[in-house]
Amino acid sequence: MKKNKITQSISTAIGALALMGMAMPVVAEEDSGWYLGVGGGSSRATIARADIIADLLESGYTTTEFNSDTKDFGFKIYGGYQFNRHISIEGGYFDLGEFSYTATTMPAGTSFGELEFGGWNLDVVAMLPLTEKSSLFGRIGAHNSKASVDFVGTGAVNVLNPRFQKTSTDYKFGFGYQYEMTERVTFRIEAERYRMDDAVGNHGDLDLFSVNLIYRFGTRSRPEATPAPAPRAVVAAPVQPVTMVQYCSALEIQFEIANDDIQRIDRERILVLATFLEKYPDTKVHIEGHSDSVGTRADNLRLSQQRAQSVVDYLVREHGIDRDRLSATGYGESRPVADNSTEAGKQANRRINAVIDCATDIEGLTPLPERITLAMELEFDTDGSKIDSKYHDQLANVAEYLRSHPDLTATLEGHTDNTSPDRAQRISQERAQSVANYLVTHFGIDRSRLTAEGFGATRRDTYNVTASGRQENRRVTIVLGYPK
């Protein structure tokens, strides 16, 4: 009977998982996400042996032998929503199986009882990350369950009421370990305890020791490991002619998530556009803002308009360009240039284009040589500020570059993934300062040439849903060459 039940349980779990998959929104909100899970394993019950023997004795039967089967196969299917890397909520269906006892009595007879237990649960799950891919977690919640008890008597044992059922609500708790096998699939092992009312007045506990697989929606495939990037020189490129009557430039300005700030490294590129406008005072420029597809269309349209307007405002404020020569339009997510299903594609779509009036030449668009910008990014462990040894050689190159160009300064920008604002600000500042200290201590760079700034979690390169996304946001960016 139990073998057939295991087969039926697995089939039920797979079918229900498919139905939940069709019903669950397949979206990945910023710093959150939906997921589905299925698990199964050994379930164990606490049989109220003493109470059963006492009940039989009260009915005139002395128990001479008592045997119980307290183990079976249990399974559960569930859906969850992860609010951040530490807290999620889960709800689903569970079936812990069947448990039985047989009591041999005097006068000669037997009393056989069988318990079935299953229902629905809702839990809060708290996670404690150990590494980028692994976490410990604990859960506490409530379950609404039905207990069904069947009794059979033989020989002298007479059963008056052969079946009892009761639905009740009680508490449950558990703990476990999980490991992210891929960006979408997570493996879990877990132990849970369900408090139970067995329908005949006895209370006990049922335990489930399960192995689980979780599928997360809206994440991306984990990229293959690549060597840490070497410092790279980024020089603004001149605006290129498209036709005889119009020039168009993408400017290569890409924005961080939900952000319209213009970063240091992009100000050099805007300098090229400003140089063009100063050289040709009769031309006008239309700035086009674009976004990725995460979020609502209305929000993306608004954000892309803000990004375009921020470039207009910067040209007016920093370079004195007449506002009447500039216009801005946001196109939201309607004009992608890359695949929004990947993080790289989303970042490419968070961009600015500039469409420029006709001019007879493009002379004079090369930025000043001394305004070269050199950028480098270092990633950090969770809540850590220690510099990984894999970056030591690259920092040596940065130091050599600073020694070779004594007029240059360096700004060290610290960032982190999501945590409380005060904690994020402190950690990001510590990361930036640790890089500054390393350059001073190991290479003798004058501290007055270094500025360390922490930006907390306000400037993310990618979404915080996945472990690799959070890793990319825990970084320090070194920007050289832009004057203070």
Side-chain angles (χ1 to χ4, degrees):
M1 178 170 62
K2 287 189 176 181
K3 183 176 180 181
N4 291 334
K5 179 174 178 61
I6 292 173
T7 303
Q8 294 169 0
S9 298
I10 294 173
S11 299
T12 302
I14 293 173
L17 185 59
L19 290 173
M20 290 179 71
M22 290 185 286
M24 189 75 71
V26 185
V27 296
E29 296 294 337
E30 190 174 322
D31 307 322
S32 59
W34 294 99
Y35 59 90
L36 293 176
V38 59
S42 175
S43 56
R44 301 181 182 182
T46 301
I47 300 293
R49 182 178 185 274
D51 293 334
I52 295 170
I53 292 175
D55 290 342
L56 287 170
L57 184 61
E58 186 176 340
S59 300
Y61 304 103
T62 300
T63 302
T64 59
E65 186 178 355
F66 190 95
N67 296 306
S68 61
D69 184 357
T70 60
K71 297 180 181 180
D72 199 2
F73 174 82
F75 76 92
K76 60 178 181 173
I77 52 176
Y78 49 95
Y81 187 84
Q82 185 163 333
F83 295 96
N84 53 53
R85 63 183 311 198
H86 297 291
I87 295 293
S88 63
I89 188 168
E90 291 182 4
Y93 175 78
F94 64 90
D95 186 333
L96 298 189
E98 300 173 351
F99 312 93
S100 62
Y101 76 89
T102 302
T104 303
T105 67
M106 287 294 294
T110 61
S111 172
F112 173 81
E114 185 176 68
L115 166 71
E116 297 180 18
F117 189 76
W120 300 87
N121 70 284
L122 183 65
D123 299 346
V124 174
V125 182
M127 285 158 282
L128 175 64
L130 300 177
T131 68
E132 281 309 299
K133 295 183 179 182
S134 63
S135 302
L136 295 177
F137 65 90
R139 68 169 68 241
I140 188 169
H143 64 88
N144 183 259
S145 310
K146 183 172 74 172
S148 301
V149 182
D150 295 303
F151 293 105
V152 176
T154 65
V157 177
N158 184 28
V159 175
L160 298 178
N161 296 307
R163 185 169 181 82
F164 296 85
Q165 286 188 338
K166 184 174 183 179
T167 299
S168 60
T169 299
D170 219 320
Y171 68 86
K172 65 182 294 283
F173 61 89
F175 61 92
Y177 169 85
Q178 70 177 30
Y179 181 82
E180 294 183 20
M181 300 168 63
T182 71
E183 287 293 322
R184 293 182 183 272
V185 179
T186 297
F187 169 81
R188 274 185 183 177
I189 54 175
E190 183 172 10
E192 296 172 274
R193 170 156 290 182
Y194 297 75
R195 186 64 174 172
M196 172 196 67
D197 185 334
D198 70 0
V200 292
N202 298 317
H203 292 276
D205 297 314
L206 280 86
D207 298 325
L208 176 63
F209 303 91
S210 62
V211 175
N212 299 254
L213 286 179
I214 292 173
Y215 182 86
R216 300 183 183 276
F217 293 100
T219 57
R220 61 185 175 92
S221 298
R222 195 180 295 275
E224 294 182 2
T226 55
R232 61 190 186 278
V234 181
V235 184
V239 179
Q240 298 297 320
V242 176
T243 68
M244 291 299 294
V245 296
Q246 186 181 66
Y247 294 104
C248 181
S249 172
L251 288 182
E252 295 184 1
I253 297 178
Q254 294 174 354
F255 289 84
E256 293 169 330
I257 296 169
N259 203 315
D260 59 6
D261 291 342
I262 298 171
Q263 306 303 309
R264 285 182 175 84
I265 197 169
D266 292 320
R267 297 172 192 172
E268 298 294 333
R269 299 181 174 103
I270 296 179
L271 175 62
V272 176
L273 180 58
T275 303
F276 181 95
L277 293 172
E278 289 169 357
K279 180 176 177 64
Y280 301 102
D282 294 330
T283 58
K284 295 184 177 181
V285 174
H286 183 66
I287 306 297
E288 300 177 349
H290 306 274
S291 75
D292 60 22
S293 62
V294 178
T296 66
R297 289 183 177 272
D299 286 344
N300 289 336
L301 189 64
R302 174 186 55 78
L303 183 58
S304 64
Q305 178 68 40
Q306 290 175 348
R307 288 169 173 166
Q309 190 62 49
S310 70
V311 175
V312 168
D313 294 342
Y314 184 84
L315 285 167
V316 172
R317 182 179 66 252
E318 301 297 329
H319 297 286
I321 305 300
D322 189 341
R323 192 177 291 274
D324 291 339
R325 299 173 61 192
L326 309 172
S327 59
T329 300
Y331 291 93
E333 62 190 73
S334 64
R335 297 183 179 183
V337 295
D339 186 355
N340 273 310
S341 66
T342 69
E343 292 299 316
K346 291 173 187 175
Q347 188 172 27
N349 288 329
R350 300 192 296 267
R351 71 191 192 280
I352 287 293
N353 285 353
V355 180
I356 308 170
D357 279 351
C358 60
T360 57
D361 63 66
I362 56 172
E363 180 184 355
L365 297 187
T366 302
L368 299 176
E370 62 270 21
R371 293 176 67 89
I372 293 175
T373 300
L374 182 67
M376 174 186 170
E377 287 190 356
L378 300 82
E379 294 178 352
F380 290 82
D381 291 336
T382 304
D383 294 340
S385 59
K386 182 179 179 180
I387 300 172
D388 194 297
S389 59
K390 68 182 179 182
Y391 297 115
H392 290 176
D393 290 343
Q394 297 173 56
L395 287 172
N397 292 338
V398 171
E400 181 60 31
Y401 193 82
L402 286 169
R403 282 196 292 259
S404 301
H405 300 80
D407 294 332
L408 291 181
T409 59
T411 300
L412 314 171
E413 299 180 344
H415 310 275
T416 189
D417 54 358
N418 271 12
T419 181
S420 65
D422 291 343
R423 182 183 176 89
Q425 179 63 35
R426 176 180 59 79
I427 292 172
S428 64
Q429 182 68 41
E430 288 174 356
R431 288 172 176 162
Q433 194 61 55
S434 71
V435 177
N437 293 342
Y438 188 88
L439 290 171
V440 172
T441 302
H442 290 78
F443 304 105
I445 302 301
D446 190 338
R447 193 176 291 275
S448 65
R449 299 174 62 189
L450 306 175
T451 301
E453 297 183 36
F455 291 92
T458 62
R459 295 184 175 182
R460 287 155 293 175
D461 273 347
T462 184
Y463 294 92
N464 275 321
V465 175
T466 66
S468 62
R470 295 190 294 268
Q471 175 70 70
E472 290 180 27
N473 289 328
R474 295 193 298 270
R475 69 192 192 279
V476 166
T477 302
I478 305 175
V479 181
L480 306 178
Y482 195 83
K484 299 179 182 179

